[in-house]
């Protein structure tokens, strides 16, 4: 009997066999596909398709070019016919030909629009419009030859504009033929209406020219035409018409506005001023009306700004003709402030921005106009530096005006202009972002007004000095009482003080009083700014120089007074530890010390004294822990003082100048090595020993006598022994080197004599022996050199 497995086992076996069959079938199919591909003949590659030549332009463009060219040729032919062949025909023939051609040209677009040939209709309509112009010209040449050409052109342009407008509106559209579509569609001509508007630009201008009207009438014609263009641009929705209207409005409006402004500026009588103001107001009304109706973009802002400027020009030109010249700018400024008041109204936001921009522009121009007298009042007193105590002038204007520089004309109202602009800045700007900047600008303008006011009013010299001094006091008092720092206001007060100090140079007593007052004033507010102590010390230095000059002292003796400033600066810096004003104070004291040294140069004994006193001040500064480097400056100043004193005494020995440097340097080096035992001997003693040994060696080398080389050799030997005793490299090397060179200098004559007495073969023989000895003992010498190097390396 056949053995049958259990059903579950049999099912597993069947599944395994089926999977193996599927895998074998997939392998056979893949092999079959490969064989078919290998047995198939190769297929030749297809040739690339030939390039397709594309047209360089589109059919509508070709159509438009042909139509425009055809219309242009027909127009040229019509002009040639009118100008050349006109006289060969009778009146009836002429009328019949022109009438027939014109009516045909104007009537053909109706049929063309019905057949949807819009471009052709536009070309034929353009020909018809050109023929109407030729008709008008022919009518003037034949029927009305004696009429005024400009007047006839004005009437003809008006009639043509009306005719073309009616023609364009009459051909506003046609309906499609009945069988094309269910819904009607309108096809319009684009050319007649813009052409009619272009012709409408001429009637008023030609009429004014024909009537030989004056400039006001011509300007009015320009502005009326611009107003009509503006109305058309704002109300007609056709784009081509709006474009022509906008070009006319901007072009004629700008031309008319410029002409009206020129009439206002050159007007001399009340009637002329009134006419110019009316024209400017009319132009402003056009611009403001356009800004009101324009959409909310940047364009209405600029248009409203132009309207604001025209309003200011109109209102400011009225009082200009009846007031003195210095009130011209204030008049326009007041009008600008009045225009700025409109910003607070309920006008659209673009208009308010434009009006604010216009008012700000006028105020900026007014402030710039006021700058020349401010510059003269600020920089003019500097010329007094070259004419110290030459005599007090009579007026403040004379005091600030240098020789050969005139006072700016019409500058009497400059302070008023600056104050008005400052007031507007302080009141009008209320935003949190721009408010601090506006406050700074207003402060600067008020300061400029106070600076130029005495010279503008031409008050007496002493009154102008007092006014400027009170301004400085007020500014510094405000800075001192303010809870917040005011660096700009303090800087302005400082600049005013410099100008006041220069003004005070005219008279001796005034100079002393002003410098003393400025010194005390800036010392009193020294806590407000880090520059206040610097200013106080600077004015104190100038006061010391002025006091010395007033007493008739020579400059070296004045230097002793100036030295008081570095003393005060050093004392203040010691008390202001951690203050930001400490370094500026020390720098100011150092500059004052340099000035004292420069003043003392003509007198050498006093120069030595001044240098010594400066060294004492520097040494006192170096006592502080954080100012130890000042000790180097003190040492250098002491040395310089000693050198100057030795020069005064006529001492010519170089050691007298070098030993005062060597001894302190060696003491400082010994003190440094005591604090830091690891410090190198070169750092501690190298500089001090070199200062004396090297100059003495150079001097001894050219000295024919024997005492200096002997003393130098003894000193070098002592230094060498000290270095060997304490194992210090610097004294050992420096002392040994100087001692060897000094000995060579002393033995040089004998060596020369010996070389002359020996035969000539002796030097080569000696050289050969030396080389042999060196070669024989080369290794031993290298070992000895290494031992010496190790010994020196253990020295410090």
């Amino acid at each position: 009997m056949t053995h049958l497995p259990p059903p579950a086992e049999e099912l597993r076996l069947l599944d395994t066999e089926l999977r193996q069959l599927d895998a074998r079938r997939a392998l056979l199919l893949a092999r079959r596909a490969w064989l078919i591909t290998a047995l198939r003949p190769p297929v030749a590659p297809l040739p690339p398709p030939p390039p397709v030549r594309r047209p360089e332009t589109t059919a509508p463009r070709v159509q438009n070019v042909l139509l425009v060219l055809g219309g242009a040729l027909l127009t040229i032919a019509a002009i040639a016919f009118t100008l050349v062949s006109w006289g060969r025909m009778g009146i009836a023939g002429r009328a019949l030909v022109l009438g027939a051609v014109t009516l045909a040209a104007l009537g053909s677009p109706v049929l063309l629009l019905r057949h949807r040939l819009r471009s052709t209709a536009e070309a034929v309509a353009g020909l018809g419009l050109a023929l109407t112009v030729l008709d008008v010209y022919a009518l003037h040449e034949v029927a009305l030859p004696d009429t005024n050409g400009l007047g006839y052109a004005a009437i003809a342009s008006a009639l043509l504009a009306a005719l073309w407008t009616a023609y364009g509106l009459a051909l506003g559209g046609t309906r499609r033929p009945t069988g094309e579509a269910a819904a009607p569609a309108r096809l319009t001509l684009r050319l007649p209406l813009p052409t009619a508007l272009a012709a409408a630009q001429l009637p008023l201008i030609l009429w004014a020219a024909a009537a030989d009207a004056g400039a006001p009438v011509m300007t009015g014609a320009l502005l009326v035409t611009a107003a009509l263009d503006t109305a058309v641009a704002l109300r007609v929705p056709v784009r081509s018409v709006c474009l022509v209207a906008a070009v006319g409005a901007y072009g004629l409006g700008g031309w008319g506005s410029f002409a009206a402004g020129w009439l206002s500026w050159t007007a001399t009588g009340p009637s002329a001023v009134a006419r110019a103001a009316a024209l400017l107001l009319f132009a402003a009304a056009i611009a403001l009306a356009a800004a009101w109706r324009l959409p909310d973009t940047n364009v209405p802002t600029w248009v409203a700004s132009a309207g604001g400027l025209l309003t200011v020009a109109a209102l400011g030109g009225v009082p200009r003709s009846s007031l003195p010249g210095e009130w011209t700018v204030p008049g326009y400024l007041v009008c600008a402030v009045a225009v700025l008041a409109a910003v607070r109204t309920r006008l659209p936001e673009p208009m308010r921005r434009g009006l604010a921009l216009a008012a700000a522009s006028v105020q900026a121009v007014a402030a710039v106009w006021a700058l020349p007298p401010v510059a003269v009042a600020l920089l003019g007193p500097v010329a007094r530096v070259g004419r110290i105590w030459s005599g007090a002038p009579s007026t403040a204007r004379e005091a600030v005006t240098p020789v050969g520089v005139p006072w700016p004309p019409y500058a009497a109202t400059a302070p008023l202009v600056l104050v008005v602009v400052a007031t507007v800045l302080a009141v009008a700007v209320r935003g949190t972002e721009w408010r601090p900047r506006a406050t700074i600008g207003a402060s600067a303008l008020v300061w400029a007004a106070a600076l130029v006011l005495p010279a503008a009013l031409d008050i007496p010299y002493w009154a102008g000095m007092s006014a400027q001094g009170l301004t400085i006091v007020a500014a510094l008092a405000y800075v001192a009482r303010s809870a917040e720092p005011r660096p700009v206001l303090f800087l302005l007060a400082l600049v005013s003080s410099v100008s006041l100090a220069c003004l005070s140079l005219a008279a001796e007593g005034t100079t002393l009083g002003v410098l003393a007052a400025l010194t005390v004033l800036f010392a009193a507010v020294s806590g407000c700014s880090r520059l206040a102590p610097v200013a106080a010390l600077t004015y104190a230095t100038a006061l010391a120089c002025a006091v010395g000059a007033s007493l008739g002292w020579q400059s070296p003796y004045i230097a002793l007074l100036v030295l008081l400033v570095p003393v005060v600066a050093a004392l203040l810096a010691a008390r202001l530890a951690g203050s930001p004003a400490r370094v500026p104070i020390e720098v100011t004291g150092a500059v004052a010390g340099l000035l004292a040294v420069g003043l003392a140069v003509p007198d050498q004994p006093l120069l030595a004294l001044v240098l010594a006193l400066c060294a004492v001040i520097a040494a006192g500064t170096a006592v502080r822990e954080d100012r130890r480097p000042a000790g180097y400056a003190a040492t250098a100043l002491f040395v310089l003082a000693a050198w100057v004193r030795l020069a005064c005494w006529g001492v010519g020995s170089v050691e007298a100048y070098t030993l005062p440097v060597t001894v302190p340097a060696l003491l400082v080096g010994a003190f440094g090595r005591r604090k830091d035992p690891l410090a190198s001997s070169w750092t501690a003693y190298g500089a001090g020993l070199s200062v004396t040994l090297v100059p003495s060696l150079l001097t001894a080398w050219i000295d024919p006598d024997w005492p200096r080389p002997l003393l130098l050799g003894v000193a070098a030997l002592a230094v060498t022994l000290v270095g060997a005793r304490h194992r210090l490299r610097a004294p050992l090397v420096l002392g040994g080197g100087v001692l060897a060179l000094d000995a060579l200098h002393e033995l040089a004559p004998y060596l020369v004599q010996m070389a002359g007495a020996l035969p000539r073969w002796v030097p080569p023989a000696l050289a050969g022996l030396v080389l042999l000895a060196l070669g024989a003992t080369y290794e031993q010498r290298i070992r000895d050199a290494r031992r010496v190097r190790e010994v020196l390396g253990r020295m410090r």
Side-chain angles (χ1 to χ4, degrees):
M1 295 180 63
T2 303
H3 176 72
L4 295 176
E9 181 66 18
E10 186 178 2
L11 180 61
R12 185 183 66 79
L13 293 175
L14 291 176
D15 289 339
T16 303
E17 292 291 338
L18 288 175
R19 284 196 297 270
Q20 292 177 355
L21 290 175
D22 290 339
R24 181 64 179 172
R25 185 173 183 277
L27 179 62
L28 294 175
L29 289 175
R31 180 65 179 175
R32 180 178 180 277
W34 182 85
L35 292 174
I36 292 174
T37 304
L39 294 175
R40 184 178 300 169
V43 180
L46 297 176
V52 180
R53 180 172 298 177
R54 297 181 180 179
E56 297 181 356
T57 183
T58 60
R61 292 183 179 178
V62 175
Q63 167 191 305
N64 293 334
V65 170
L66 294 177
L67 292 175
V68 171
L69 183 60
L73 293 176
L74 289 175
T75 304
I76 294 173
I79 294 173
F81 170 77
T82 304
L83 297 178
V84 177
S85 301
W86 185 256
R88 302 175 184 175
M89 303 178 65
I91 298 176
R94 299 169 189 172
L96 182 62
V97 171
L98 277 179
V101 174
T102 304
L103 290 177
L106 294 177
S108 298
V110 178
L111 299 176
L112 294 173
L113 287 176
R114 288 180 179 179
H115 290 82
R116 313 296 294 171
L117 299 176
R118 182 174 184 175
S119 299
T120 308
E122 294 282 358
V124 176
L127 175 62
L129 298 180
L131 290 174
T132 56
V133 177
L134 295 177
D135 291 339
V136 171
Y137 170 74
L139 180 63
H140 178 267
E141 291 295 326
V142 174
L144 304 170
D146 297 330
T147 57
N148 187 356
L150 290 176
Y152 179 80
I155 297 174
S157 59
L159 293 177
L160 288 176
L163 175 63
W164 293 348
T165 302
Y167 178 70
L169 294 176
L171 294 184
T174 59
R175 294 183 180 274
R176 289 185 179 181
T178 308
E180 292 189 10
R186 298 178 63 86
L187 292 178
T188 61
L189 290 178
R190 301 174 181 176
L191 186 60
L193 291 180
T195 309
L197 184 58
Q201 310 297 312
L202 302 176
L204 291 178
I205 300 174
L206 293 176
W207 169 79
D212 199 11
V217 178
M218 179 62 74
T219 303
L222 291 171
L223 293 177
V224 170
T225 306
L228 295 177
D229 290 333
T230 303
V232 172
L234 293 176
R235 299 188 65 86
V236 176
V238 182
R239 184 176 180 180
S240 58
V241 176
C242 289
L243 180 60
V244 175
V247 172
Y250 282 112
L252 298 180
W255 187 10
S257 299
F258 177 78
W262 181 256
L263 290 175
S264 175
W265 185 257
T266 58
T268 55
S271 59
V273 171
R275 286 194 299 269
L279 291 173
L280 285 172
L281 287 176
F282 182 46
I286 296 173
L288 294 176
W292 184 286
R293 294 294 304 273
L294 285 171
D296 189 7
T297 59
N298 292 329
V299 176
T301 299
W302 294 107
V303 174
S305 176
L309 291 175
L310 291 172
T311 304
V312 172
L315 299 178
V318 174
R320 185 188 59 82
S321 61
S322 57
L323 294 177
E326 57 265 16
W327 290 97
T328 299
V329 175
Y332 285 106
L333 181 60
V334 171
C335 296
V337 175
V339 169
L340 187 62
V343 178
R344 301 297 179 185
T345 60
R346 294 184 179 181
L347 293 174
E349 179 63 23
M351 290 191 65
R352 287 189 283 137
R353 288 200 306 265
L355 293 175
L357 180 61
S361 301
V362 175
Q363 294 177 53
V365 172
V368 171
W369 171 83
L371 287 182
V374 175
V376 173
L378 181 63
L379 302 177
V382 179
R384 292 280 172 186
V385 176
R387 297 181 288 114
I388 298 177
W389 297 349
S390 59
S394 57
T395 62
R397 184 177 298 178
E398 182 183 353
V400 301
T401 306
V403 178
V405 179
W407 180 252
Y410 307 119
T413 55
L416 177 62
V417 170
L418 295 171
V419 170
V420 171
V421 177
T423 304
V424 172
L425 277 177
V427 175
V429 181
R430 300 180 181 275
T432 57
E433 180 181 358
W434 289 93
R435 182 65 179 176
R437 304 177 186 177
T439 302
I440 293 174
S443 302
L445 291 173
V446 172
W447 166 79
L451 183 67
V452 78
L453 182 61
L457 298 179
D458 203 14
I459 60 178
Y461 169 72
W462 63 268
M465 294 280 294
S466 302
Q468 191 166 348
L470 291 176
T471 302
I472 298 171
V473 171
L476 292 179
Y478 180 76
V479 172
R481 293 174 61 89
S482 178
E484 299 179 358
R486 306 285 181 181
V488 176
L489 190 58
F490 179 83
L491 184 61
L492 295 177
L494 182 60
V495 173
S496 295
S497 68
V498 174
S499 177
L500 180 62
C502 293
L503 279 177
S504 68
L505 297 177
E508 179 180 346
T510 307
T511 303
L512 296 175
V514 168
L515 292 177
L518 291 176
T519 302
V520 174
L521 181 61
F522 280 97
V525 296
S526 57
C528 301
S529 173
R530 67 177 65 183
L531 295 178
V534 174
L537 293 174
T538 303
Y539 287 126
T541 305
L543 178 61
C545 295
V547 169
S550 177
L551 295 176
W553 291 2
Q554 298 294 327
S555 60
Y557 296 94
I558 297 176
L560 298 176
L561 283 178
V562 175
L563 280 180
L564 295 175
V565 176
V567 173
V568 174
L571 295 176
L572 285 176
R575 297 189 59 184
L576 297 176
S579 174
R582 185 180 187 183
V583 174
I585 290 174
E586 292 176 341
V587 172
T588 306
V591 172
L594 291 177
L595 176 61
V597 172
L599 291 173
V601 167
D603 192 336
Q604 291 188 356
L606 278 178
L607 176 60
L609 177 60
V610 170
L611 288 171
L613 293 176
C614 291
V616 172
I617 297 172
T621 303
V623 172
R624 301 199 304 268
E625 185 68 27
D626 55 343
R627 290 295 183 266
R628 296 300 187 193
Y632 298 106
T635 303
L637 290 171
F638 275 125
V639 171
L640 288 176
W643 286 358
V644 172
R645 176 56 62 182
L646 291 173
C648 294
W649 290 340
V651 176
S653 178
V654 68
E655 288 79 11
Y657 295 91
T658 58
L659 286 176
V661 180
T662 298
V663 173
L666 293 178
L667 292 177
V668 171
F671 180 75
R673 278 185 59 84
R674 179 172 298 179
K675 294 184 62 176
D676 185 11
L678 298 179
S680 173
S681 61
W682 287 107
T683 304
Y685 307 116
L689 293 174
S690 300
V691 168
T692 295
L693 292 178
V694 174
S696 297
L697 177 62
L698 296 176
T699 305
W701 196 267
I702 60 176
D703 192 353
D705 297 329
W706 61 271
R708 181 185 296 274
L710 178 59
L711 294 176
L712 178 61
V714 172
L717 178 60
V719 171
T720 305
L721 295 176
V722 170
R725 172 67 178 81
H726 296 282
R727 294 186 178 181
L728 299 176
R729 184 182 301 175
L732 182 62
V733 173
L734 288 175
V738 171
L739 181 60
L741 292 175
D742 185 64
L744 179 62
H745 172 265
E746 292 301 315
L747 295 176
Y750 302 103
L751 295 177
V752 172
Q753 293 177 4
M754 183 182 299
L758 292 176
R760 294 186 178 182
W761 57 266
V762 174
L766 291 177
L769 292 175
V770 170
L771 290 177
L772 289 176
L774 288 175
T777 59
Y778 183 75
E779 184 177 0
Q780 181 64 32
R781 291 180 182 275
I782 291 178
R783 189 181 302 111
D784 295 341
R786 289 176 179 174
R787 187 179 297 109
V788 172
R789 185 176 60 186
E790 292 175 359
V791 172
L792 292 176
R794 288 194 295 269
M795 299 181 182
R796 294 189 298 273

